[in-house]
Amino acid sequence: MPMLRRDKVIITCAVTGSIHTPTMSPWLPITPQEIADASIGAWEAGASIIHLHARNPDGSPTPDPDVFMEFLPRIKQSTDAVVNISTGGGHGMSLDERLAGALRASPEMTSLNMGSMNFGLFPILDKITDFRHDWERHHLENSRDFIFRNTFKDIEHILKVLGEGHGVRFEFECYDIGHLYTLAHFLDRGLVKPPLFVQSIFGILGGIGADEENLMHARRIADKLFGDAYYWSVLAAGRHQMNFVTMAAMLGGNVRVGLEDSLYIAKGELAKSNRDQVAKIRRIIEDLSLEVATPAEARGMLGLKGGDLVGF
Ligand code: KMH
Ligand code: ZN
């Protein structure tokens, strides 16, 4: 059976996201300065790709391109990291809003979510009673009745405006096995080009659960659908983060860590920085006698346009 490609291990760090809220951790990067510093720290520790969202001063997610432009140039000046901008944005944003930052910045990579789904953040409400900001409770509560919309038309639109229009390549976010088949459909139609960077996601309520059987199944089906036309990466939410990415590295995959996906560095211990999570998985990867990819190596593997062709 054809197998996924294995070169060095690409570490992606997703430094802030739009899931967690300021009450959950004092270490969550919020301001442009904090997001830039977190990105630089993650790169110093060994991340070659930085996956980015933006936030307002109160910590709520924002699609405002002006906010992205406050931290993107700082990251570019201080690192050679690949900048990957989210097109998933945050709950409640329209598709146009979700694309605004990426269209302004014309980065080397963006995320591309491969299906519509329920995206349940509300179970976190059981663990927190006092929130620092009113918006946090609403944000979590609203997820009971929110569809994270990524229709076939939406996906085609993103492929056209960012892929064709800006030479962007994609982190294909796959929250369930069906999303792999959707990606295969776009591959069959020639609308996405190998090598694909498939991000298998485990443990989001509404998507596939964080069970090892699912990790193996995702790998098997991705091998079957994409053969050597893809690189596989894995992220898992919350306490499943480190063990799932470790298993992915052992199985020939790449890894994503960062405070977007988990606020913890060990059981019951909040991560004080994105850097610490990257350093931890880097140690594990190297202890497994695997090598971590530099940003230049990641660019070569994924066929990126280069850091000199971005719009920031
Ligand atoms: N928050 C992750 C589970 C995106 O930004 O487009 C998925 C994600 C989506 O990173
Ligand atoms: Zn994201």
Side-chain angles (χ1 to χ4, degrees), residues 45-62:
S48 50
I49 301 177
I50 308 294
H51 170 112
L52 289 155
H53 295 239
R55 291 182 185 262
N56 291 310
D58 67 357
S60 56
T62 177

Side-chain angles (χ1 to χ4, degrees), residues 16-55:
T16 187
S18 61
I19 293 176
H20 296 124
T21 71
T23 300
M24 299 174 195
S25 170
W27 312 109
L28 187 66
I30 303 291
T31 66
Q33 184 70 52
E34 288 167 353
I35 291 173
D37 290 347
S39 302
I40 295 163
W43 168 79
E44 285 172 345
S48 50
I49 301 177
I50 308 294
H51 170 112
L52 289 155
H53 295 239
R55 291 182 185 262

Side-chain angles (χ1 to χ4, degrees), residues 34 74 83 91 100 111 134 140 169 171 174 187 213-214 219 226 236 262:
E34 288 167 353
R74 292 185 205 173
V83 164
H91 284 45
S111 64
D134 282 346
L140 302 176
R169 288 185 57 78
E171 175 194 12
C174 298
L187 183 63
E213 293 89 337
N214 291 335
R219 162 70 198 276
F226 308 123
S262 170

Side-chain angles (χ1 to χ4, degrees), residues 152-205:
F152 293 105
K153 189 174 166 190
D154 294 340
I155 293 168
E156 274 187 44
H157 178 67
I158 295 174
L159 291 171
K160 193 167 179 58
V161 297
L162 285 172
E164 283 178 33
H166 286 268
V168 164
R169 288 185 57 78
F170 298 101
E171 175 194 12
F172 294 104
E173 313 266 8
C174 298
Y175 301 76
D176 218 325
I177 302 297
H179 294 175
L180 297 173
Y181 286 87
T182 298
L183 181 54
H185 163 83
F186 284 105
L187 183 63
D188 287 346
R189 289 172 57 195
L191 295 181
V192 300
K193 303 271 182 297
L196 308 176
F197 189 53
V198 176
Q199 188 72 259
S200 283
I201 299 171
F202 300 89
I204 297 290
L205 182 61

Side-chain angles (χ1 to χ4, degrees), residues 14 16-19 51-53 84-90 98 110-113 117 119 121 148 150 171 173-175 199 201-204 235-237 256 260-261:
T16 187
S18 61
I19 293 176
H51 170 112
L52 289 155
H53 295 239
N84 169 354
I85 296 182
S86 171
T87 64
R98 285 163 45 185
T110 69
S111 64
L112 178 42
N113 293 271
M117 58 188 286
F119 202 119
L121 308 178
F148 182 36
N150 298 285
E171 175 194 12
E173 313 266 8
C174 298
Y175 301 76
Q199 188 72 259
I201 299 171
F202 300 89
I204 297 290
L235 78 87
R256 174 170 138 175
E260 171 165 350
D261 304 331

